[in-house]
Amino acid sequence: MTFSIAARCPRTGQLGVGALTATPGVGKLVAHVRPDVGAVATQATHNPFLAYDGLPMLAEGRSPQDVVTELLARDPGREVRQVGMVDGQGRSYAFTGSRTLDWAGHRTGPGYAVQGNRLEGPETLAEVIRAFEDSRDLDLVERLVRAIEAGEAAGGDRDGARSATVTVIGDQPYPLWDLRADDAADPARELRRLYGVFGEQLVPVIRRLPTRDDPMGEAARRALGQPAERPSRRQ
C-alpha cells in the first residue's frame, strides 16, 4: 500500500527514507535510519524487525543483500513483505514477496532502493528514480521530497494517498529532517509545505543542538556568550 525510497547521499553521507501511502501515519512504521549505518524502508505487510534487527547487522559491516536474505529466511511471512535497504557505503538491496498486492516491485541502484506495492504500475517507481537521479546536486532531503512528488504524479497508490514522510539523518542519532504528513488530502503537497516551514524555523535550531563532538551545542554556546565552533560536517 506504499511506495518508498531508501537512499544515501554520496556527497554528505546523509541517509534517509521517503514514502507515501494510502493509509495514515506512514512515517511511524516504514522509515528507519541510523547514522553511518543505513536506511531501511519496510512495507506491504509490515515486519519492523527487518529494520530493528537489520540495522545492527549492517553496523557489523555486512551487506544489505546478506542482511535481508538472512532475515527473510527466518520470516515465515516473507511472501507478503517488502523491504528496501541501503548501507553507509551506498550498497543497496530490495525484496518484494510473491504475494504482495499488484502492481508490486522494486528497483535498486548506487545509493538507493525504491519499492512499491498496490501501485498503478512500474511507471511510479521509474518516476521516483528519475526525480532522484536528476537532482544529484541537491541536498538529500530535497531529492527525497522531489522523488515522492514525482511518484505521486505518476499514479502512486491505486487507492489514492493519505500520508507521506521524509526522514534524513546526518552524523547524529537524532533526525536532521523528520517531515510527516500523517493524515492529509494531498500528502505530497503537505510534505512540500512542511519542508519549507521546517527549513526556515526548525532545522536551524537542530543544527545548534549538542553533538557527540560538541556536547555543549551552538545554542548553549551563544546563550553563554562563548565563541562559535565550526558546525558538524553533515548535520
Side-chain angles (χ1 to χ4, degrees):
M1 300 177 285
T2 307
F3 71 85
S4 65
I5 174 171
R8 177 184 180 271
C9 173
R11 176 173 52 85
T12 64
Q14 291 177 351
L15 291 148
V17 173
L20 181 142
T21 191
T23 58
V26 66
K28 184 173 180 61
L29 291 174
V30 170
H32 306 265
V33 192
R34 182 171 164 184
D36 295 316
V37 172
V40 183
T42 171
Q43 56 192 55
T45 303
H46 290 283
N47 181 357
F49 291 104
L50 295 175
Y52 294 142
D53 295 341
L55 287 169
M57 294 165 71
L58 287 180
E60 296 171 356
R62 301 179 61 178
S63 73
Q65 182 171 356
D66 287 346
V67 170
V68 171
T69 300
E70 179 175 327
L71 291 175
L72 289 172
R74 56 184 193 238
D75 180 357
R78 57 186 169 272
E79 295 307 328
V80 291
R81 312 288 191 213
Q82 195 168 45
V83 60
M85 185 177 289
V86 176
D87 72 4
Q89 302 175 49
R91 297 178 295 180
S92 60
Y93 187 72
F95 170 85
T96 299
S98 62
R99 295 183 63 182
T100 50
L101 296 175
D102 200 34
W103 186 90
H106 58 264
R107 304 287 186 270
T108 60
Y112 67 82
V114 177
Q115 42 285 323
N117 63 87
R118 204 176 68 179
L119 302 180
E120 292 288 351
E123 61 274 10
T124 297
L125 300 192
E127 281 300 292
V128 170
I129 293 169
R130 179 200 59 75
F132 186 74
E133 291 187 332
D134 286 353
S135 55
R136 289 184 181 91
D137 294 337
L138 301 178
D139 289 342
L140 181 59
V141 61
E142 173 69 28
R143 299 178 71 189
L144 293 176
V145 171
R146 290 186 180 204
I148 296 304
E149 291 172 331
E152 172 66 353
D157 191 307
R158 285 192 289 111
D159 284 357
R162 188 168 172 185
S163 66
T165 189
V166 165
T167 299
V168 172
I169 283 190
D171 56 0
Q172 303 303 313
Y174 49 80
L176 178 59
W177 294 87
D178 188 5
L179 309 175
R180 298 193 187 194
D182 283 336
D183 187 10
D186 189 342
R189 183 181 220 176
E190 176 65 3
L191 200 70
R192 171 63 67 178
R193 186 190 71 82
L194 291 171
Y195 173 46
V197 172
F198 284 23
E200 180 178 344
Q201 300 181 26
L202 182 58
V203 172
V205 175
I206 294 172
R207 292 187 184 278
R208 295 194 293 267
L209 293 175
T211 68
R212 294 298 190 195
D213 294 332
D214 178 15
M216 177 178 287
E218 188 59 29
R221 187 170 294 104
R222 290 184 185 183
L224 295 170
Q226 297 187 9
E229 289 191 0
R230 294 182 63 184
S232 173
R233 177 170 56 92
R234 281 176 284 166
Q235 194 75 339

